[in-house]
Amino acid sequence: MKLTECNLNGIYVVESIDLSDKDSLSKISAMGILPGTEIIFLQKKPTLLFQVYNSRFAIDNYLGEKINVRPL
Amino acid sequence: MTGFKQYKVLLIGNPNVGKSALFYRLSGKYVSVSNYPGTTVDITRGKCKIGGHHEVEFIDTPGFYNLITITEEEAVTKKILLTELPDVVLHVIDAKNIERMLPLTLQLIEAGFPVILVLNMFDELKHRGLDIQTAHLEHDLGIPIVATVATKGIGIENLISRIISVCEKRYNYQRIEVKHPPQLENLIENIGELITLDYPISKRSLAILLIQGDRDIYELIRGERNYDLIKKILENLDSGSLKLEIAKSYHQNGINFISENIIRKDISESSAIKGFLDKITIHPLGGLFGVILILYFGFYKFVGGFGAGVLVDLIEGNLFEDIINPHINQFFNSIMGGTIFFDLFAGDYGVITLGIRYALAIVLPVVFSFFLMFSILEDSGYLVRLSMVLDNMLKKIGLSGRSVIPLILGLGCGTMATVVTRTLETVRERYLVTFLLALTIPCAAQLGVILGLLGENFLYMIIWFFSILSVFIFSGLILNRYLKGRPATFFMEIPPLRIPIMGNVLMKTFSRLKWYALEVIPIFIYISVFIWVGKITKIFDLLVQLLAYPARWAGLPDKMGEIFLYGFFRRDFGAAGLFDLQDSLTPIQKVVSVVILTLFVPCVAQFSVMIKERGVKDAVLIFMFVIPFAFLFGILLNLILSLGGIL
């Protein structure tokens, strides 16, 4: 499933990242998101909000759709 | 010769890790901010003497995530890393996010830089019930590691002594070797062996960057005799998936080091009030409510009421009008009275009575209160929340939440804000923001006069506010529709809310104020001279007469032509001129003229920065659109208000 479809406060593991857009890929890996990374999904609005390690990131749906996750 | 040994220390790291606070702690007060050659990215340098023998130059670089760079600012940092040959590279990280940031440390180690890892914000790590065994980690990585809390000055002494020992080559680096998966190692080795010349970074590191398709490194190795062969090997690689694999490898290496050195204790929860504020400021509705509160209390009450009201009255009224100006006029009258030179220094538009008076009495207090508020918002972590809350709405006009920062900064100084559009990722977004800054966003000096002029009546304010807002939205919608390119994407770290530390806020406020003063006060003086020349040569009279026509069509007195003309030289000049005229205006005239003046062309300084940033063609295009549009809108507003009988 995509990051945009996650449930609030659910814990997920990143399965894969869409490689088609290199700019997006760079941004996503700059946040430390890689296959295997754990993500706690926090908010859907006003933007997607999630926690990765000890940081929270806000990203838009465009980037969110490039991250594929599965529930832990 | 001074007898001091000179050293160079570079600070690099992600945004939001307290890098600037650390920089100010290390370098003291004497810093200089300058553009990196060929760009408008700011580089801050500061020199300081340590003991009797060492002089260290500290260089603060823009936010940096990875040696593979995305934004122009990152590219500048990389260039500095490769060209400045620093004696020490301080990699500053947010200690609680070591997992996320250690991959860059590993890249720097691999490249062979003299790295010191600074675990900043160590207190926030401890608040989360975590601890890092720094001595142990230092042993594992083979580089010096120092824990600091820059905002409170903790750990700085220790850091300085480590810096000196690295500078003097007394530290024995035993850099860990970063191991990548076997297939990748083979590839790295093959390419590394083809590189024969010497570079500021290791061949291994060059090979890894090349594999990921790094263009800067392609340029760097252009002189290699194996260049064509290297290029051929690289062309057959899938750099996208390799990029991911390499990122994964650094990450895994990092995790292995950290898992052995991090201690987790019972987690103490943060206070209930902080938690509540943290939640409410990023709630979709709560966040919007916050925007309204900030606009009302931050701008209307603090910048408008305190800055443009109390402070301006004090300096302008009590100091200049009552004490300084009469003396100046009397003095110049006695030595050059009656000649045209009297008007150069004194009188209505003199360098002292107008130029310096406006700069010090009207503009400076407003800009000061604005920058103070902006720095508080920035240091509390609220500004990024604002970006997040407004991202969705800004998307509709082709912008991302990131553009909130230049747009809000534009409420301080449009010139500075136009420079800051550099932090936006796409050219398209920079263009959109530059346009909106030129057309709609009033600067602090204008805002001060607008609030002074309309502030007594809330209805006037509302009409002005919604007029400008509707122009902002409509022009954004139209541009977004017809401008080529992809809309901007958004990602931003949301740090915890922090209580700003007053010393740091003041430091930032004053450094921004200094920039403004150096940039602005000379222009005020040139402009006063220019106006004087324009007046005695009668060129101005002609332009004033021309501008009086559209003013008349919008139901305004002819005198407004003069105000619009001065408004170009500095927007606030125009606004301040309006201020002097206010008693003779009807309510409708007041509102219409303030709306036109807000929309009217940006000041000379902003226009020259627009040319520099966006090129002559686009800058002139924006300019030519804004003038007729401002008047057309004013004429329309006058019609609506007159027919509607609202005022």
Side-chain angles (χ1 to χ4, degrees), chain B residues 177-455:
Chain B
E177 211 169 286
V178 184
K179 289 209 171 60
H180 298 293
Q183 250 182 323
L184 205 55
E185 279 294 342
N186 283 341
L187 189 60
I188 295 167
E189 210 168 294
N190 288 343
I191 292 175
E193 278 170 3
L194 291 171
I195 299 171
T196 53
L197 303 172
D198 279 330
Y199 298 95
I201 63 173
S202 70
K203 286 176 185 159
R204 186 180 164 78
S205 201
L206 289 175
I208 293 170
L209 290 169
L210 284 169
I211 291 169
Q212 296 174 84
D214 187 305
R215 287 195 197 97
D216 304 322
I217 304 296
Y218 262 100
E219 277 306 306
L220 193 70
I221 63 151
R222 200 162 267 278
E224 284 288 341
R225 61 162 186 259
N226 294 323
Y227 181 74
D228 291 331
L229 186 59
I230 295 173
K231 213 175 151 192
K232 210 173 152 199
I233 299 176
L234 295 173
E235 268 167 7
N236 294 320
L237 299 174
D238 174 7
S239 67
S241 63
L242 280 166
K243 221 179 200 173
L244 199 60
E245 201 178 323
I246 290 169
K248 235 161 115 177
S249 167
Y250 281 122
H251 179 71
Q252 196 50 53
N253 271 292
I255 294 287
N256 293 344
F257 289 119
I258 297 153
S259 57
E260 288 169 19
N261 292 298
I262 203 157
I263 300 165
R264 287 167 209 278
K265 294 179 214 148
D266 54 319
I267 291 163
S268 53
E269 266 306 309
S270 63
S271 79
I273 299 170
K274 228 175 161 181
F276 173 75
L277 279 176
D278 187 67
K279 277 219 171 73
I280 197 86
T281 48
I282 47 178
H283 185 271
L285 285 177
L288 278 185
F289 186 65
V291 174
I292 294 168
L293 284 184
I294 295 287
L295 281 178
Y296 184 77
F297 286 104
F299 286 94
Y300 187 64
K301 286 287 176 194
F302 185 69
V303 178
F306 175 71
V310 178
L311 283 183
V312 170
D313 282 349
L314 200 72
I315 305 175
E316 153 87 355
N318 298 356
L319 196 64
F320 271 89
E321 279 184 1
D322 295 350
I323 302 170
I324 299 178
N325 278 3
H327 282 97
I328 296 288
N329 283 337
Q330 200 185 355
F331 173 73
F332 282 99
N333 203 18
S334 69
I335 56 170
M336 50 181 70
T339 68
I340 51 169
F341 291 101
F342 172 77
D343 287 329
L344 176 60
F345 297 101
D348 283 346
Y349 296 106
V351 169
I352 299 172
T353 45
L354 179 116
I356 295 181
R357 183 187 119 213
Y358 278 178
L360 296 184
I362 296 183
V363 177
L364 217 57
V366 179
V367 173
F368 165 75
S369 44
F370 174 83
F371 283 151
L372 184 64
M373 189 195 60
F374 188 82
S375 305
I376 292 173
L377 289 181
E378 191 181 21
D379 276 20
S380 62
Y382 187 73
L383 222 46
V384 292
R385 281 145 212 272
L386 219 52
S387 298
M388 176 185 169
V389 169
L390 296 175
D391 179 62
N392 238 331
M393 274 170 253
L394 288 166
K395 281 269 160 59
K396 301 212 167 31
I397 56 171
L399 302 176
S400 77
R402 232 166 244 271
S403 56
V404 164
I405 291 166
L407 286 173
I408 290 199
L409 198 55
L411 292 168
C413 172
T415 310
M416 193 187 265
T418 307
V419 174
V420 170
T421 56
R422 280 273 165 147
T423 55
L424 303 174
E425 278 167 36
T426 61
V427 177
R428 184 178 196 266
E429 195 178 7
R430 291 179 202 165
Y431 183 89
L432 271 164
V433 174
T434 305
F435 177 84
L436 291 170
L437 283 169
L439 181 66
T440 57
I441 309 284
C443 68
Q446 262 186 321
L447 211 59
V449 181
I450 291 164
L451 289 167
L453 212 63
L454 305 181

Side-chain angles (χ1 to χ4, degrees), chain A residues 27 43 53 55-56 58 60, chain B residues 97 251 282 395 425 489-490:
Chain A
K27 283 174 207 161
Q43 253 175 251
Y53 306 112
S55 292
R56 283 177 304 176
D60 59 15
Chain B
N97 275 309
H251 179 71
I282 47 178
K395 281 269 160 59
E425 278 167 36
T489 55
F490 174 70

Side-chain angles (χ1 to χ4, degrees), chain B residues 10 26 41 43 75 102 159 166-167 286 321 331 352 434 467 503 514 521 553 555 559 645:
Chain B
L10 217 63
L26 289 170
V41 178
I43 302 298
L102 204 61
L159 179 57
V166 172
C167 283
E321 279 184 1
F331 173 73
I352 299 172
T434 305
S467 301
K514 193 177 140 198
I521 292 186
W553 298 332
K559 172 95 175 152

